[in-house]
Amino acid sequence: MLVNTLELLRKAQEKKYAVAAFNVYNMETIQAAFHAAESEGRPVILALGERYFPMVELDGFSAMVKALAEKTKLPVALHLDHAEQKESIVQAIRCGFTSVMFDGSRFDLKENIAQTKEIAAIAHLTGVSVEGEVGSMKTGDFSDEAEGDGSLTDPQSAGLFARETGIDFLAAAIGTVHGLYKGEPHIDLSLLHAIHQCVPIPLVLHGGSGTPDDVIRKAIRLGITKINVNTEVSIAAVQGMQKTLDSHQWPHLSVITSEAQKSMESVMKKCIRLFSSASED
């Protein structure tokens, strides 16, 4: 069943676990996310980034997600990820997305607050929850996300941002990257603790791919309720396709995409299991 994303995150916040948010952009990625969630018996968030709009017909995409959501008793959310344009957000809301992220990290704090507050007011009129971001992430290897400046989130600014904008959950920059890390990760969990003290709403961790398991577990205990994963799933799919191409002469496209989906499901199950088990440690 399709639910509001905030509903999932409030429960995660209460029980101290995190919900996996997988970037999806075609039938195989969508099906992989549903199959992985059903296999693990856990909720899931399907996230479509604004950058994928040119390759995705939004009405058909959302209809596919809604159709599959109706077939499962598990709560499923449909999220717009890293949107910079108001038009994209309005379009997603009209298509039935249950949450949207306005990425105003390129602006100074005052302008970020002003624009995010406007988006939150629009989304809340239709019962759609909103994610905002303070700070910015760098881009690592194998990512197709835009490069950020890597500025970490200031706890006091984050608290002010959350109060002034009325957002429902906040993406905090604590040293993770989009993509895979170049060298050793430097993730500031003490900063996350300080942010958690200043921000009462659910916190989001972008850059789940390649982040060490022990860091993930600690971050969840410090308030992270949603973890975005894109690159790790993409790499698994490409590797699955490459293995099929290497082992077959002119394999049928359906075989290639089927193997890609199986490879993605394996990674997604691992993530869901890790994110949901933190409360049990």
PDB file of all heavy atoms in Angstrom, residues 50 53 60 70 72-73 78 81 92 101 106 119 124 127 155 161 175 186 218 229-231 234 253 259 280:
ATOM      1  N   GLU A  50      15.074  14.049  -9.809  1.00  0.00           N
ATOM      2  CA  GLU A  50      14.689  14.987 -10.862  1.00  0.00           C
ATOM      3  C   GLU A  50      15.577  14.827 -12.086  1.00  0.00           C
ATOM      4  O   GLU A  50      15.102  14.978 -13.222  1.00  0.00           O
ATOM      5  CB  GLU A  50      14.790  16.413 -10.328  1.00  0.00           C
ATOM      6  CG  GLU A  50      14.404  17.493 -11.332  1.00  0.00           C
ATOM      7  CD  GLU A  50      14.685  18.882 -10.799  1.00  0.00           C
ATOM      8  OE1 GLU A  50      15.863  19.177 -10.497  1.00  0.00           O
ATOM      9  OE2 GLU A  50      13.738  19.672 -10.674  1.00  0.00           O
ATOM     10  N   PHE A  53      14.232  12.717 -14.993  1.00  0.00           N
ATOM     11  CA  PHE A  53      12.984  13.077 -15.684  1.00  0.00           C
ATOM     12  C   PHE A  53      13.091  12.946 -17.207  1.00  0.00           C
ATOM     13  O   PHE A  53      12.137  12.514 -17.848  1.00  0.00           O
ATOM     14  CB  PHE A  53      12.560  14.497 -15.310  1.00  0.00           C
ATOM     15  CG  PHE A  53      11.756  14.586 -14.027  1.00  0.00           C
ATOM     16  CD1 PHE A  53      11.878  13.616 -13.038  1.00  0.00           C
ATOM     17  CD2 PHE A  53      10.885  15.640 -13.800  1.00  0.00           C
ATOM     18  CE1 PHE A  53      11.147  13.696 -11.861  1.00  0.00           C
ATOM     19  CE2 PHE A  53      10.154  15.732 -12.626  1.00  0.00           C
ATOM     20  CZ  PHE A  53      10.286  14.763 -11.653  1.00  0.00           C
ATOM     21  N   GLY A  60       3.403   7.393 -16.351  1.00  0.00           N
ATOM     22  CA  GLY A  60       3.518   5.946 -16.463  1.00  0.00           C
ATOM     23  C   GLY A  60       4.337   5.359 -15.329  1.00  0.00           C
ATOM     24  O   GLY A  60       4.016   4.290 -14.803  1.00  0.00           O
ATOM     25  N   GLU A  70      -0.418  -1.517  -4.638  1.00  0.00           N
ATOM     26  CA  GLU A  70      -1.743  -2.053  -4.307  1.00  0.00           C
ATOM     27  C   GLU A  70      -1.716  -3.556  -4.072  1.00  0.00           C
ATOM     28  O   GLU A  70      -2.628  -4.112  -3.443  1.00  0.00           O
ATOM     29  CB  GLU A  70      -2.736  -1.727  -5.434  1.00  0.00           C
ATOM     30  CG  GLU A  70      -3.127  -0.260  -5.499  1.00  0.00           C
ATOM     31  CD  GLU A  70      -4.046   0.041  -6.676  1.00  0.00           C
ATOM     32  OE1 GLU A  70      -4.373  -0.911  -7.428  1.00  0.00           O
ATOM     33  OE2 GLU A  70      -4.434   1.210  -6.830  1.00  0.00           O
ATOM     34  N   THR A  72       0.702  -5.218  -2.431  1.00  0.00           N
ATOM     35  CA  THR A  72       1.442  -5.599  -1.223  1.00  0.00           C
ATOM     36  C   THR A  72       0.822  -4.954   0.006  1.00  0.00           C
ATOM     37  O   THR A  72       0.286  -3.845  -0.059  1.00  0.00           O
ATOM     38  CB  THR A  72       2.929  -5.193  -1.323  1.00  0.00           C
ATOM     39  OG1 THR A  72       3.594  -5.590  -0.124  1.00  0.00           O
ATOM     40  CG2 THR A  72       3.089  -3.698  -1.510  1.00  0.00           C
ATOM     41  N   LYS A  73       0.899  -5.664   1.117  1.00  0.00           N
ATOM     42  CA  LYS A  73       0.411  -5.124   2.380  1.00  0.00           C
ATOM     43  C   LYS A  73       1.480  -4.279   3.066  1.00  0.00           C
ATOM     44  O   LYS A  73       1.201  -3.582   4.046  1.00  0.00           O
ATOM     45  CB  LYS A  73      -0.029  -6.256   3.307  1.00  0.00           C
ATOM     46  CG  LYS A  73      -1.249  -7.019   2.799  1.00  0.00           C
ATOM     47  CD  LYS A  73      -1.651  -8.113   3.774  1.00  0.00           C
ATOM     48  CE  LYS A  73      -2.875  -8.870   3.256  1.00  0.00           C
ATOM     49  NZ  LYS A  73      -3.278  -9.963   4.177  1.00  0.00           N
ATOM     50  N   LEU A  78       6.548   6.801  -2.248  1.00  0.00           N
ATOM     51  CA  LEU A  78       7.079   7.246  -3.542  1.00  0.00           C
ATOM     52  C   LEU A  78       7.600   8.664  -3.358  1.00  0.00           C
ATOM     53  O   LEU A  78       6.837   9.592  -3.059  1.00  0.00           O
ATOM     54  CB  LEU A  78       5.991   7.191  -4.611  1.00  0.00           C
ATOM     55  CG  LEU A  78       6.380   7.642  -6.026  1.00  0.00           C
ATOM     56  CD1 LEU A  78       7.573   6.850  -6.547  1.00  0.00           C
ATOM     57  CD2 LEU A  78       5.184   7.503  -6.962  1.00  0.00           C
ATOM     58  N   ASP A  81      13.351  12.845  -5.446  1.00  0.00           N
ATOM     59  CA  ASP A  81      14.667  13.070  -4.851  1.00  0.00           C
ATOM     60  C   ASP A  81      15.399  14.223  -5.540  1.00  0.00           C
ATOM     61  O   ASP A  81      15.349  14.358  -6.771  1.00  0.00           O
ATOM     62  CB  ASP A  81      15.478  11.772  -4.981  1.00  0.00           C
ATOM     63  CG  ASP A  81      16.719  11.757  -4.110  1.00  0.00           C
ATOM     64  OD1 ASP A  81      16.688  12.383  -3.041  1.00  0.00           O
ATOM     65  OD2 ASP A  81      17.702  11.090  -4.490  1.00  0.00           O
ATOM     66  N   ALA A  92       5.328  16.097  -9.742  1.00  0.00           N
ATOM     67  CA  ALA A  92       5.372  14.878  -8.937  1.00  0.00           C
ATOM     68  C   ALA A  92       4.170  14.785  -8.005  1.00  0.00           C
ATOM     69  O   ALA A  92       3.579  13.709  -7.831  1.00  0.00           O
ATOM     70  CB  ALA A  92       6.668  14.835  -8.138  1.00  0.00           C
ATOM     71  N   MET A 101      11.534  16.125  -2.253  1.00  0.00           N
ATOM     72  CA  MET A 101      12.695  16.798  -1.691  1.00  0.00           C
ATOM     73  C   MET A 101      13.021  18.026  -2.529  1.00  0.00           C
ATOM     74  O   MET A 101      13.235  17.915  -3.737  1.00  0.00           O
ATOM     75  CB  MET A 101      13.920  15.880  -1.677  1.00  0.00           C
ATOM     76  CG  MET A 101      15.187  16.592  -1.171  1.00  0.00           C
ATOM     77  SD  MET A 101      16.687  15.639  -1.441  1.00  0.00           S
ATOM     78  CE  MET A 101      17.900  16.722  -0.661  1.00  0.00           C
ATOM     79  N   ARG A 106      22.333  24.711  -2.900  1.00  0.00           N
ATOM     80  CA  ARG A 106      23.199  25.616  -3.677  1.00  0.00           C
ATOM     81  C   ARG A 106      23.040  27.063  -3.240  1.00  0.00           C
ATOM     82  O   ARG A 106      23.830  27.930  -3.630  1.00  0.00           O
ATOM     83  CB  ARG A 106      22.890  25.472  -5.170  1.00  0.00           C
ATOM     84  CG  ARG A 106      21.476  25.914  -5.556  1.00  0.00           C
ATOM     85  CD  ARG A 106      21.118  25.432  -6.965  1.00  0.00           C
ATOM     86  NE  ARG A 106      19.804  25.888  -7.415  1.00  0.00           N
ATOM     87  CZ  ARG A 106      18.668  25.332  -7.059  1.00  0.00           C
ATOM     88  NH1 ARG A 106      18.658  24.318  -6.194  1.00  0.00           N
ATOM     89  NH2 ARG A 106      17.515  25.776  -7.524  1.00  0.00           N
ATOM     90  N   ILE A 119       8.009  25.736  -0.946  1.00  0.00           N
ATOM     91  CA  ILE A 119       7.725  24.384  -1.436  1.00  0.00           C
ATOM     92  C   ILE A 119       6.935  23.599  -0.396  1.00  0.00           C
ATOM     93  O   ILE A 119       5.981  22.880  -0.724  1.00  0.00           O
ATOM     94  CB  ILE A 119       9.046  23.649  -1.766  1.00  0.00           C
ATOM     95  CG1 ILE A 119       9.743  24.305  -2.960  1.00  0.00           C
ATOM     96  CG2 ILE A 119       8.786  22.166  -2.021  1.00  0.00           C
ATOM     97  CD1 ILE A 119       8.960  24.270  -4.248  1.00  0.00           C
ATOM     98  N   HIS A 124       2.265  20.657   1.438  1.00  0.00           N
ATOM     99  CA  HIS A 124       1.416  20.351   2.587  1.00  0.00           C
ATOM    100  C   HIS A 124      -0.060  20.584   2.293  1.00  0.00           C
ATOM    101  O   HIS A 124      -0.926  19.985   2.958  1.00  0.00           O
ATOM    102  CB  HIS A 124       1.859  21.167   3.802  1.00  0.00           C
ATOM    103  CG  HIS A 124       3.151  20.694   4.381  1.00  0.00           C
ATOM    104  ND1 HIS A 124       3.933  21.471   5.227  1.00  0.00           N
ATOM    105  CD2 HIS A 124       3.825  19.524   4.236  1.00  0.00           C
ATOM    106  CE1 HIS A 124       5.007  20.793   5.578  1.00  0.00           C
ATOM    107  NE2 HIS A 124       4.975  19.613   4.987  1.00  0.00           N
ATOM    108  N   GLY A 127      -1.160  17.239   1.412  1.00  0.00           N
ATOM    109  CA  GLY A 127      -0.793  16.155   2.312  1.00  0.00           C
ATOM    110  C   GLY A 127       0.491  15.445   1.951  1.00  0.00           C
ATOM    111  O   GLY A 127       0.753  14.331   2.430  1.00  0.00           O
ATOM    112  N   PRO A 155      24.792  22.488  12.973  1.00  0.00           N
ATOM    113  CA  PRO A 155      23.631  22.098  13.790  1.00  0.00           C
ATOM    114  C   PRO A 155      22.660  23.240  14.071  1.00  0.00           C
ATOM    115  O   PRO A 155      21.439  23.052  13.975  1.00  0.00           O
ATOM    116  CB  PRO A 155      24.278  21.579  15.081  1.00  0.00           C
ATOM    117  CG  PRO A 155      25.629  21.111  14.656  1.00  0.00           C
ATOM    118  CD  PRO A 155      26.066  22.073  13.593  1.00  0.00           C
ATOM    119  N   PHE A 161      16.619  26.117  10.219  1.00  0.00           N
ATOM    120  CA  PHE A 161      16.036  25.729   8.934  1.00  0.00           C
ATOM    121  C   PHE A 161      14.775  24.895   9.140  1.00  0.00           C
ATOM    122  O   PHE A 161      13.739  25.137   8.504  1.00  0.00           O
ATOM    123  CB  PHE A 161      17.077  24.942   8.144  1.00  0.00           C
ATOM    124  CG  PHE A 161      16.641  24.501   6.779  1.00  0.00           C
ATOM    125  CD1 PHE A 161      16.761  25.343   5.679  1.00  0.00           C
ATOM    126  CD2 PHE A 161      16.117  23.231   6.580  1.00  0.00           C
ATOM    127  CE1 PHE A 161      16.367  24.926   4.413  1.00  0.00           C
ATOM    128  CE2 PHE A 161      15.721  22.803   5.325  1.00  0.00           C
ATOM    129  CZ  PHE A 161      15.846  23.651   4.234  1.00  0.00           C
ATOM    130  N   GLY A 175      29.596  14.117   5.859  1.00  0.00           N
ATOM    131  CA  GLY A 175      30.825  13.567   5.282  1.00  0.00           C
ATOM    132  C   GLY A 175      30.627  12.410   4.336  1.00  0.00           C
ATOM    133  O   GLY A 175      31.595  11.932   3.735  1.00  0.00           O
ATOM    134  N   HIS A 186      35.384   9.739   5.727  1.00  0.00           N
ATOM    135  CA  HIS A 186      35.558  10.563   6.914  1.00  0.00           C
ATOM    136  C   HIS A 186      34.178  11.102   7.289  1.00  0.00           C
ATOM    137  O   HIS A 186      33.752  12.167   6.817  1.00  0.00           O
ATOM    138  CB  HIS A 186      36.547  11.699   6.662  1.00  0.00           C
ATOM    139  CG  HIS A 186      37.929  11.210   6.340  1.00  0.00           C
ATOM    140  ND1 HIS A 186      38.768  10.693   7.306  1.00  0.00           N
ATOM    141  CD2 HIS A 186      38.606  11.135   5.171  1.00  0.00           C
ATOM    142  CE1 HIS A 186      39.906  10.329   6.753  1.00  0.00           C
ATOM    143  NE2 HIS A 186      39.837  10.590   5.448  1.00  0.00           N
ATOM    144  N   LYS A 218      25.597   3.149  13.760  1.00  0.00           N
ATOM    145  CA  LYS A 218      25.755   4.258  14.710  1.00  0.00           C
ATOM    146  C   LYS A 218      24.932   5.466  14.274  1.00  0.00           C
ATOM    147  O   LYS A 218      24.330   6.154  15.107  1.00  0.00           O
ATOM    148  CB  LYS A 218      27.226   4.635  14.830  1.00  0.00           C
ATOM    149  CG  LYS A 218      28.075   3.584  15.533  1.00  0.00           C
ATOM    150  CD  LYS A 218      29.560   3.941  15.495  1.00  0.00           C
ATOM    151  CE  LYS A 218      30.406   2.857  16.135  1.00  0.00           C
ATOM    152  NZ  LYS A 218      31.867   3.133  16.020  1.00  0.00           N
ATOM    153  N   VAL A 229      20.164   4.992  -1.232  1.00  0.00           N
ATOM    154  CA  VAL A 229      21.129   4.119  -1.898  1.00  0.00           C
ATOM    155  C   VAL A 229      20.847   4.142  -3.399  1.00  0.00           C
ATOM    156  O   VAL A 229      19.726   3.852  -3.819  1.00  0.00           O
ATOM    157  CB  VAL A 229      21.053   2.666  -1.384  1.00  0.00           C
ATOM    158  CG1 VAL A 229      22.109   1.797  -2.066  1.00  0.00           C
ATOM    159  CG2 VAL A 229      21.216   2.615   0.129  1.00  0.00           C
ATOM    160  N   ASN A 230      21.876   4.479  -4.180  1.00  0.00           N
ATOM    161  CA  ASN A 230      21.731   4.529  -5.634  1.00  0.00           C
ATOM    162  C   ASN A 230      22.892   3.807  -6.315  1.00  0.00           C
ATOM    163  O   ASN A 230      22.722   2.792  -6.976  1.00  0.00           O
ATOM    164  CB  ASN A 230      21.643   5.983  -6.105  1.00  0.00           C
ATOM    165  CG  ASN A 230      21.353   6.123  -7.586  1.00  0.00           C
ATOM    166  OD1 ASN A 230      21.277   5.131  -8.314  1.00  0.00           O
ATOM    167  ND2 ASN A 230      21.171   7.335  -8.063  1.00  0.00           N
ATOM    168  N   THR A 231      24.102   4.308  -6.114  1.00  0.00           N
ATOM    169  CA  THR A 231      25.259   3.828  -6.862  1.00  0.00           C
ATOM    170  C   THR A 231      25.527   2.345  -6.650  1.00  0.00           C
ATOM    171  O   THR A 231      25.830   1.616  -7.600  1.00  0.00           O
ATOM    172  CB  THR A 231      26.513   4.636  -6.472  1.00  0.00           C
ATOM    173  OG1 THR A 231      26.257   6.029  -6.691  1.00  0.00           O
ATOM    174  CG2 THR A 231      27.714   4.215  -7.292  1.00  0.00           C
ATOM    175  N   SER A 234      23.203   0.393  -8.719  1.00  0.00           N
ATOM    176  CA  SER A 234      23.530   0.554 -10.135  1.00  0.00           C
ATOM    177  C   SER A 234      24.717  -0.314 -10.531  1.00  0.00           C
ATOM    178  O   SER A 234      24.705  -0.981 -11.575  1.00  0.00           O
ATOM    179  CB  SER A 234      23.834   2.029 -10.432  1.00  0.00           C
ATOM    180  OG  SER A 234      24.349   2.201 -11.733  1.00  0.00           O
ATOM    181  N   LEU A 253      17.611  -9.705 -24.757  1.00  0.00           N
ATOM    182  CA  LEU A 253      17.529  -8.551 -23.859  1.00  0.00           C
ATOM    183  C   LEU A 253      16.795  -8.907 -22.570  1.00  0.00           C
ATOM    184  O   LEU A 253      17.165  -8.451 -21.484  1.00  0.00           O
ATOM    185  CB  LEU A 253      16.822  -7.385 -24.560  1.00  0.00           C
ATOM    186  CG  LEU A 253      16.593  -6.124 -23.716  1.00  0.00           C
ATOM    187  CD1 LEU A 253      17.922  -5.553 -23.219  1.00  0.00           C
ATOM    188  CD2 LEU A 253      15.829  -5.080 -24.519  1.00  0.00           C
ATOM    189  N   GLU A 259      18.666 -10.694 -15.251  1.00  0.00           N
ATOM    190  CA  GLU A 259      19.847 -10.872 -14.412  1.00  0.00           C
ATOM    191  C   GLU A 259      20.198  -9.578 -13.682  1.00  0.00           C
ATOM    192  O   GLU A 259      20.646  -9.607 -12.527  1.00  0.00           O
ATOM    193  CB  GLU A 259      21.031 -11.344 -15.261  1.00  0.00           C
ATOM    194  CG  GLU A 259      20.904 -12.774 -15.744  1.00  0.00           C
ATOM    195  CD  GLU A 259      20.731 -13.765 -14.607  1.00  0.00           C
ATOM    196  OE1 GLU A 259      21.486 -13.642 -13.602  1.00  0.00           O
ATOM    197  OE2 GLU A 259      19.852 -14.639 -14.695  1.00  0.00           O
ATOM    198  N   GLU A 280      18.225  -3.625  16.872  1.00  0.00           N
ATOM    199  CA  GLU A 280      18.371  -4.896  17.574  1.00  0.00           C
ATOM    200  C   GLU A 280      19.766  -5.053  18.169  1.00  0.00           C
ATOM    201  O   GLU A 280      20.033  -5.989  18.924  1.00  0.00           O
ATOM    202  CB  GLU A 280      18.106  -6.047  16.596  1.00  0.00           C
ATOM    203  CG  GLU A 280      16.700  -5.998  15.985  1.00  0.00           C
ATOM    204  CD  GLU A 280      16.545  -6.962  14.828  1.00  0.00           C
ATOM    205  OE1 GLU A 280      17.499  -7.726  14.575  1.00  0.00           O
ATOM    206  OE2 GLU A 280      15.479  -6.963  14.188  1.00  0.00           O
TER     207      GLU A 280
END
